[in-house]
Amino acid sequence: MDKFMQAAIEEAQIGLAEGGIPIGSVIVHNNNIIGRGHNRRVQNGSPILHGEMDAFENAGRQSAQTYRESIIYTTLSPCAMCSGAIILYGIGQVVIGENHTFMGEEALLKSKNITIEVLQNQQCIDLMQNFISASPQLWNEDIGE
C-alpha cells in the first residue's frame, strides 16, 4: 500500500483511539508529508476539525505554490467543507481511501479540474463501517444529519 495512504490510515486509527471519528489525512509536497491530521471534532469539541482540516491546520502557513504542488490523501471522500479548503488552496490531486460509506463532493472537485483517485481500500472501509455501526449518532452528527 502507498506509504502516504498508510500514514492517513494511521491518523484515522489515532483518532479512533482518542475516542473520535476514524478519518485521517496527510498533505504531501515533493514526496514529504507537510501536514497530517485526523478528525478531532469530538476530542476538541470543534465543528470544523475534520481530518483534512486538521491536516491543513498542522501544515501551517504554506505558499500558494506549495499547496498547488501538493497532494492530499484522505481515508474518506471529502465533505463540502473539506472540499472547499482543497479548492481554496489549489491542491490539484486528491487520493481517497474509500467513498463506499460516504460520498463527498467528488463531482465538485472534478469540476475544478482536480484529479481524484479512489482506492476503495478495505482497511478504510472497515474502519468506517465498524465505527458507524458502533456510533451511528456520532457519525450522523459529523455529517450533519
Side-chain angles (χ1 to χ4, degrees):
M1 178 192 315
D2 181 290
K3 67 180 179 179
F4 298 124
M5 182 52 67
Q6 187 58 49
I9 290 170
E10 289 167 8
E11 285 293 323
Q13 291 168 330
I14 291 168
L16 183 63
E18 292 173 350
I21 299 163
I23 303 167
S25 182
V26 296
I27 300 171
V28 177
H29 180 257
N30 290 338
N31 221 30
N32 293 305
I33 295 173
I34 61 169
R36 58 175 62 231
H38 53 275
N39 187 303
R40 294 191 298 142
R41 289 184 64 255
V42 174
Q43 300 91 311
N44 286 31
S46 168
I48 61 166
L49 278 181
H50 285 188
E52 299 91 335
M53 301 301 279
D54 194 40
F56 275 115
E57 180 72 15
N58 291 325
R61 288 181 61 193
Q62 299 290 333
S63 71
Q65 183 69 27
T66 296
Y67 279 129
R68 282 194 300 271
E69 295 170 350
S70 294
I71 301 169
I72 191 165
Y73 290 74
T74 180
T75 59
L76 187 65
S77 186
C79 73
M81 175 179 63
C82 296
S83 293
I86 290 165
I87 293 165
L88 178 66
Y89 290 107
I91 292 190
Q93 184 176 355
V94 182
V95 180
I96 299 168
E98 65 104 349
N99 63 9
H100 178 77
T101 58
F102 177 78
M103 173 59 79
E105 298 296 328
E106 294 176 29
L108 174 62
L109 293 168
K110 288 177 186 175
S111 79
K112 300 293 186 180
N113 297 316
I114 295 171
T115 302
I116 304 291
E117 181 181 356
V118 182
L119 304 178
Q120 299 303 15
N121 176 282
Q122 193 60 51
Q123 195 173 1
C124 293
I125 294 169
D126 291 345
L127 269 170
M128 286 310 301
Q129 284 181 339
N130 293 339
F131 176 79
I132 293 167
S133 292
S135 304
Q137 287 179 311
L138 188 54
W139 170 240
N140 288 334
E141 174 190 320
D142 193 63
I143 59 171
E145 290 188 4

